[in-house]
Structures are given as structure tokens and as C-alpha cells.
Amino acid sequence: VLPMGSQTVHETAPHVKSIMIAGPHGTGKRMLVNAICSELGANLMDLSAENICGKYPGKAGLTMLLHLVLKVGKLLQPTVVYIGNADKTFIKKVAKNDMSDPKRLKKELPKIIKKMAPEDRILFVGTSLTPWEGDVKSLCQCYQKIVLIPRPDYASRYLLFKELITRHGGRLAPTSISAL
């Protein structure tokens, strides 16, 4: 992610086009995407299935949407393209009650990522709760790096709460945090 911040570093460092962040609920996957955008000064574009549902219908509409995303992304570099629940794009069987059409990007997304040139400072970031439910081979072809975010344990949460409370001027009794 770091090479996207500077054009000169981006030209010399290895080029990463796509990353998947996987982990359970409450581990901060979406927060990490926002942190990436904040640190890079990047624009965020959301291509989640729920967000593009009903917009640009049909195959021609999808092609137009992806063309616009890449064109605007190249003009406003650096750009992060976020895909929430990315595993559902490659899911084997879609639930009948899911109206978001999650498989809409399945064929086009890998093509678009492969077409990106090394000088393009566009990063595709997908998040997933259950990456094993999708076609793993297609996921691995689409996303170059897959990062697993584990659920924080008790000691990690204790240190986080302690640091946040003391940073904002709070005082702690020895047992006050363990009661939380």
C-alpha cells in the first residue's frame, strides 16, 4: 500500500494491484480501508454489490461503470476501489433472497485488474467475512494479497482500552478496565 503514496516510490517498488482483507465481524476491515485512503490521500470508490445494485443495468452498463471507475480513478490518482463482501462475487450459489446480484462483477473484475498498467496508482481492496465460501481459485487469481485479520484477544483489547482512556485524560483504578 505504501508505494501508492508517492509516484517515484510507486515506480520502483513491486506493484500490488489488489488486496483482500478477511476476518470476522468487528475486526476493523472497513476501518483499515478508510485508514489506507486517509494515509495515502486517496479517493475511495465503493463497488460493493449492495452499492451498485440496480445501477448501470446489463452487461453494457457494467462495462460502462467499470470504464468510468478506471477513468476517474486514473485522473484522481491515488484511488482505492473498495469491494465489500468480495467473497460473494465469487460465491458458488447465491441465496434466493439476495437481490444485490453479487456475481455481477465475477467475469469483469479479474480482467480489469489484469489490464491495469504499473504506472496506475489504483488499488482494489476487497473485504470478506467468509472467503472460503467463494471459489478460492478465482479469489486468488483476482486478489494478489490476502490478509487475515484475527479477532483481538483479551490482552489486546485491555491494552487498547487502557491507552485510549489514559490518552483522553481518564484515570484508571487497577480493576476498572477488567470490569468492562
Side-chain angles (χ1 to χ4, degrees), residues 108-150:
E108 297 295 323
L109 188 61
K111 291 177 190 176
I112 294 295
I113 291 174
K114 285 181 184 177
K115 284 183 185 177
M116 287 181 8
E119 62 268 3
D120 296 336
R121 293 192 302 160
I122 299 174
L123 178 68
F124 283 81
V125 180
T127 59
S128 174
L129 293 170
T130 54
W132 56 86
E133 285 184 359
D135 182 23
V136 177
K137 183 178 178 184
S138 298
L139 269 173
C140 292
Q141 287 175 350
C142 188
Y143 295 100
Q144 292 176 316
K145 306 278 184 188
I146 298 176
V147 180
L148 177 63
I149 307 294

Side-chain angles (χ1 to χ4, degrees), residues 48-111:
S48 301
E50 298 84 19
N51 195 29
I52 63 172
C53 179
K55 299 173 185 167
Y56 297 95
K59 184 167 174 65
L62 179 63
T63 305
M64 176 61 108
L65 173 67
L66 292 174
H67 172 73
L68 288 173
V69 165
L70 284 180
K71 192 165 197 156
V72 171
K74 287 179 183 179
L75 289 173
L76 301 174
Q77 293 181 16
T79 301
V80 174
V81 179
Y82 168 70
I83 302 169
N85 293 326
D87 58 322
K88 290 188 178 181
T89 303
F90 301 99
I91 200 162
K92 296 168 186 162
K93 193 170 186 181
V94 179
K96 291 182 181 180
N97 61 354
D98 192 359
M99 297 296 163
S100 64
D101 192 18
K103 294 177 99 173
R104 189 173 179 198
L105 292 171
K106 184 176 184 175
K107 291 183 180 179
E108 297 295 323
L109 188 61
K111 291 177 190 176

